[in-house]
Amino acid sequence: MKQTESQHQRALFEWIRTKQVRDGRYSKIFAIPNGGKRDIRTAANLKREGVLSGVWDIFVPIPNYGLGGLWLEMKAGKNKLTANQIQFREGLTPFYRFEVCYTWIEAKNVIEEWL
């Protein structure tokens, strides 16, 4: 059975928690709970609180390679970036690295290379 995007992201953060014991940089990596289905009231509240459509799933706020940090977007199956995700990336590409990952292992490898 194929894993969902959520399952891959949970597996990635389980791995990150094991790594942060030895390397504090991993404790700085966080997810942005931007997506998902929500009722209208919750969605309206989140929008008022500053949730922004198109923001990528995971941020590694550690500068490297002359860039300010690393953004990861987890996808599953044949899913592709949305128009808002592409627009978000285009506005920040000069300052950050962006990677789309289809498995938690792929995301792990990108993070390890970045750090």
Side-chain angles (χ1 to χ4, degrees):
M1 179 164 63
K2 293 184 179 181
Q3 288 185 300
T4 66
E5 177 182 321
S6 176
Q7 289 169 320
H8 279 287
Q9 189 163 323
R10 285 194 308 257
L12 176 66
F13 275 91
E14 287 174 24
W15 171 79
I16 287 169
R17 282 189 285 281
T18 66
K19 293 293 285 188
Q20 71 190 23
V21 172
R22 286 178 251 124
D23 186 339
R25 296 176 299 171
Y26 287 83
S27 67
K28 309 294 186 251
I29 301 169
F30 61 92
I32 294 92
N34 241 10
K37 303 280 187 228
R38 296 186 172 91
D39 63 80
I40 290 186
R41 176 185 242 165
T42 301
N45 283 335
L46 289 171
K47 190 169 187 175
R48 284 192 295 270
E49 291 173 4
V51 168
L52 181 64
S53 177
V55 174
W56 286 37
D57 292 326
I58 300 165
F59 186 55
V60 181
I62 299 166
N64 206 350
Y65 304 106
L67 298 170
L70 168 66
W71 288 95
L72 299 173
E73 177 63 29
M74 299 299 297
K75 294 292 183 188
K78 296 180 181 181
N79 290 343
K80 302 289 182 203
L81 293 176
T82 66
N84 286 343
Q85 289 168 334
I86 292 168
Q87 183 178 8
F88 181 82
R89 178 185 63 192
E90 287 174 352
L92 295 171
T93 297
F95 312 106
Y96 299 95
R97 179 174 163 189
F98 288 82
E99 293 288 338
V100 178
C101 300
Y102 285 86
T103 68
W104 79 269
I105 297 289
E106 186 179 348
K108 173 188 92 69
N109 292 339
V110 169
I111 291 169
E112 286 183 318
E113 184 271 326
W114 181 261
L115 296 178

